[in-house]
Each structure stands twice: as C-alpha cells, then as structure tokens.
Amino acid sequence: MRRVIFVLTSMVIMFLSGCEKYIFEKPDMPTDVSFSADIQPIFDNSCVSCHSGGIDPDLRPDNSYDALIDGGYVDTDDPESSVLYETLRGTHDTRATEEEKLYILGWITEGALNN
C-alpha cells in the first residue's frame, strides 16, 4: 500500500512540475487618441458598409459620434464594458484588428471625446 501511495505521489509531483504558467502581456493601449483621425477611419474601413443608417449605430462620419454617445454604446466609467468594445471583442471580432480594438478602447478610456 505504501508503494502505491509513493508511486501515485511521485507521479503527481512529476506531472505538476512539468506545468508552466503562461503569461500573455496585453499590448500598451494607445494614448492621445483622436476620434476623427484614429477612430472614424476604422469605422470607414470596416463598419460603414453595414452601419450606414439602416443598422444601428449609424457609423457614417457625420453621424457616428452622436450615434455612439446618444445610443449608449460607450461607457467611459467602465470602458471594457462598453457595448461598442464588447461587440468588437465578441460578435464582430473579425471586423477590426487587435490594434484597432485597442485604439477604440483607448479612446473610450480617455473620455470618448469628439476630437
């Protein structure tokens, strides 16, 4: 019985010692993000083909900022919980690159200014 316990204990120790902890570093979030220079071009390239007035939010250049803010798509108190950001991380994941998603998160984090 001792031999079985010893063998099992040894196997568990060998198994656990082979585990590695992986740490994935999140890239730095951009700062000084401009809505007109950084965010709207993402919408123009990836979103306006569907969100051009028929599907909310309307992301055309003249309407996008108001549609996002007034429509409740942006939460500056909890940027990662913003509907816009959650949608890009979920159902629209392939519509934007990881860098573009970070720019959008950075813009929201900085207060979602119309700049």
Side-chain angles (χ1 to χ4, degrees):
M1 182 67 171
R2 285 185 179 173
R3 180 177 275 187
V4 171
I5 292 174
F6 176 76
V7 170
L8 289 175
T9 303
S10 298
M11 289 174 60
V12 168
I13 290 171
M14 287 183 355
F15 174 75
L16 292 177
S17 67
C19 293
E20 292 183 32
K21 183 176 181 179
Y22 294 97
I23 299 173
F24 297 99
E25 291 187 28
K26 189 174 181 180
D28 291 335
M29 192 177 342
T31 56
D32 297 323
V33 181
S34 165
F35 183 78
S36 60
D38 300 313
I39 304 304
Q40 187 61 49
I42 296 170
F43 297 153
D44 293 342
N45 292 330
S46 304
C47 308
V48 171
S49 60
C50 293
H51 292 275
S52 59
I55 299 174
D56 285 335
D58 182 348
L59 297 177
R60 293 177 292 178
D62 292 340
N63 303 318
S64 59
Y65 183 80
D66 291 334
L68 292 171
I69 301 302
D70 296 342
Y73 291 93
V74 173
D75 182 353
T76 56
D77 293 329
D78 188 6
E80 291 190 24
S81 294
S82 293
V83 174
L84 173 61
Y85 185 70
E86 285 184 339
T87 301
L88 287 172
R89 301 297 302 163
T91 59
H92 287 54
D93 186 56
T94 60
R95 307 277 196 308
T97 66
E98 291 303 314
E99 181 181 17
E100 291 170 334
K101 292 171 195 172
L102 281 176
Y103 266 89
I104 290 170
L105 181 60
W107 170 70
I108 297 169
T109 301
E110 291 178 343
L113 304 175
N114 189 9
N115 53 358

